[in-house]
Amino acid sequence: GNSVTQMEGPVTLSEEAFLTINCTYTATGYPSLFWYVQYPGEGLQLLLKATKADDKGSNKGFEATYRKETTSFHLEKGSVQVSDSAVYFCAQSPAGRRALTFGSGTRLQVQP
Amino acid sequence: GAVVSQHPSRVICKSGTSVKIECRSLDFQATTMFWYRQFPKQSLMLMATSNEGSKATYEQGVEKDKFLINHASLTLSTLTVTSAHPEDSSFYICSASRARELGNEQFFGPGTRLTVL
């Protein structure tokens, strides 16, 4: 079946540090891949997405590249800010479907 | 644009009662809405997919008689937890997709925390 595995948190970084949150997936076919972010007290928001192999999604300084060969979609940011503190969810949806399968979420805490 | 609301945000009820949770798309029409359940420190688990004007499609292991879903209009879907028990306590989240929009983007509500005593 389809699944998403992401690194456990919490991840604690100092401001301006480099961020990587690992995400791998299992799927039949070629799913679309997503990163969602959940700020405290708010609903999930789409951060970025990629719909085919080698696509790079980017938004707000975050990037992730769809790697078919390693079935990965790792999230990166070169310099994190305190305002990036949130829970980050990696997700996939099979081709032709809208339903999402989520990873367990990774809490990021950025300290000033 | 693309705001989804849920009501209530928090509900506490006694065991055996039924609880209704509303999910509304405030500024767009949603042909499809999704209901998820999230346990503490765990992932969101899809419960069902709801299409306007038709019966919901439930994921394997989700009791459709326990979790009643109605999607009567393009802006409203409701989830009713019938005869709730303590094991139904959880965080319930809905999401909505725009009508005819490509790209599979879903817009999420802020969630409803249900506590069954």
Side-chain angles (χ1 to χ4, degrees), chain B:
Chain B
V3 178
V4 175
S5 69
Q6 281 185 242
H7 178 78
S9 58
R10 187 183 298 267
V11 56
I12 301 172
C13 68
K14 293 182 178 180
S15 185
T17 60
S18 294
V19 175
K20 180 185 285 188
I21 302 170
E22 293 185 347
C23 176
R24 293 182 184 274
S25 56
L26 298 184
D27 51 3
F28 67 99
Q29 292 185 328
T31 51
T32 306
M33 289 185 169
F34 304 85
W35 286 96
Y36 296 85
R37 183 173 179 178
Q38 185 180 26
F39 292 101
K41 298 184 180 180
Q42 294 188 30
S43 179
L44 282 74
M45 301 298 294
L46 179 66
M47 299 175 65
T49 302
S50 166
N51 290 298
E52 185 265 338
S54 63
K55 290 184 178 180
T57 301
Y58 290 81
E59 295 299 298
Q60 191 172 10
V62 178
E63 301 175 57
K64 61 181 181 182
D65 295 330
K66 173 75 170 176
F67 299 99
L68 300 179
I69 292 173
N70 182 276
H71 192 166
S73 78
L74 285 171
T75 59
L76 174 64
S77 177
T78 60
L79 167 67
T80 301
V81 183
T82 61
S83 186
H85 288 90
E87 59 265 29
D88 298 324
S89 298
S90 191
F91 196 55
Y92 292 88
I93 301 172
C94 74
S95 70
S97 290
R98 294 182 200 263
R100 302 186 187 86
E101 179 172 282
L102 301 177
N104 292 346
E105 183 165 3
Q106 295 181 27
F107 302 96
F108 285 80
T112 297
R113 182 163 302 284
L114 170 64
T115 303
V116 184
L117 301 176

Side-chain angles (χ1 to χ4, degrees), chain A residues 2 5 11-12 15 17-18 23 25 36 43 54 57 68-69 71-72 78 80 84 88 90 93 95 107-108 110:
Chain A
N2 299 327
T5 303
V11 174
T12 303
E15 205 163 23
F18 184 85
C23 171
Y25 66 92
Y36 281 83
D54 299 325
K68 186 180 66 173
E69 62 275 13
T71 61
S72 65
V80 293
D84 294 327
Y88 292 82
C90 185
S93 70
R107 182 174 298 279
L108 170 66
V110 181

Side-chain angles (χ1 to χ4, degrees), chain A residues 13 21 27 36 56-57 62 68 74 80 90-91 95 97 101 109:
Chain A
L13 296 174
I21 301 178
Y36 281 83
K56 176 185 284 187
F62 291 89
K68 186 180 66 173
H74 304 322
V80 293
C90 185
R97 283 198 71 194
T101 299
Q109 299 173 334

